[in-house]
């Protein structure tokens, strides 16, 4: 995947925060580079290349390593960034470029609370109103002017939907099930504060991983 045509967009979005640009570049290289079908293939390559190193010391076999992966059969990954390093800019950059490239038709951004949902929605709408960013991403062949919504309305092609994870549950009325069922191959799922999915602190959050793995949606691209 050649990200060069989006470098000006990354510069305007991230400024001098090079670590944000690098996180976006590496993630898009993994999602769009077509070198791996899923996380399992990436894990296998790394395990064999790390002979007699920390990885093989920690996991006695490749199967043991597989069992410790959260979403091995998805094209999934997690980005670890400290608090206040601007994770929302990385989420936004990934969403806009994946849409602009035509790799996905919709983006679903999930978070663990309504407070985080509100903050992300405000940030995404502010960035989407920036004409410079809009112009710099417009050379893509896909969707370059997405709408920022939540799941109280139908999620259409070209939408970035930001919701707290509780809106995905069957007993909660939202547009997620009706809008996204069967479309997972063309949806990017971004998970903010994804450690809550991997190590849930309450019963409700335990359903987060179940949602990501639900064959009804068959999500392909998953980033934490």
């Amino acid at each position: 995947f050649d990200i060069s045509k989006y470098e000006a967009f990354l510069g305007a979005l991230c400024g001098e925060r090079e670590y944000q640009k690098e996180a976006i570049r590496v993630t898009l290289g993994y999602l769009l580079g077509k070198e791996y079908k899923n996380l399992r293939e990436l894990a296998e390559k790394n395990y064999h290349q790390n002979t007699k190193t920390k990885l093989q010391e920690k996991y006695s076999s490749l199967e043991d390593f597989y069992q410790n992966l959260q979403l091995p059969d998805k094209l999934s990954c997690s980005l670890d960034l400290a608090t206040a390093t601007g994770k929302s800019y990385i989420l936004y950059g990934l969403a806009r470029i994946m849409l602009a490239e035509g790799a996905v038709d919709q983006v679903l951004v999930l978070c663990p609370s309504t407070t985080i949902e509100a903050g992300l929605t405000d940030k995404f709408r502010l960035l989407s109103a920036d004409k410079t960013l809009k112009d710099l991403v417009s050379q893509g062949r896909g969707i370059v002017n997405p709408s920022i919504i939540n799941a109280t309305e139908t999620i259409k092609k070209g939408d970035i939907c930001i919701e707290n994870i509780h809106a995905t549950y069957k007993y909660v009325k939202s547009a997620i099930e009706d809008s996204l069922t069967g479309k997972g191959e063309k949806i990017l799922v971004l998970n903010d504060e994804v450690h809550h999915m991997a190590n849930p602190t309450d019963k409700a959050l335990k359903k987060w991983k179940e949602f990501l793995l639900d064959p009804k949606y068959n999500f392909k691209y998953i980033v934490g």
Side-chain angles (χ1 to χ4, degrees), residues 3 68 82 89 117 147 157-158 162-163:
I3 198 173
N68 284 273
Y89 289 92
E117 175 194 339
S147 299
K157 183 176 180 178
I162 304 172
E163 263 298 348

Side-chain angles (χ1 to χ4, degrees), residues 45-103:
K45 180 177 179 179
N46 276 270
Y47 188 83
H48 291 308
Q49 286 187 347
N50 281 269
T51 305
K52 297 181 181 179
T53 60
K54 296 297 182 183
L55 192 58
Q56 293 197 2
E57 288 177 13
K58 182 173 178 62
Y59 304 105
S60 59
S61 68
L62 183 57
E63 284 302 318
D64 183 30
F65 188 25
Y66 286 156
Q67 289 175 10
N68 284 273
L69 301 175
Q70 289 290 336
L71 305 166
D73 298 313
K74 304 292 183 180
L75 202 57
S76 64
C77 63
S78 294
L79 310 178
D80 297 330
L81 294 110
T83 302
T85 50
K87 290 179 294 180
S88 57
Y89 289 92
I90 296 172
L91 295 174
Y92 185 79
L94 291 172
R96 289 301 302 268
I97 294 176
M98 287 288 282
L99 287 167
E101 272 296 287

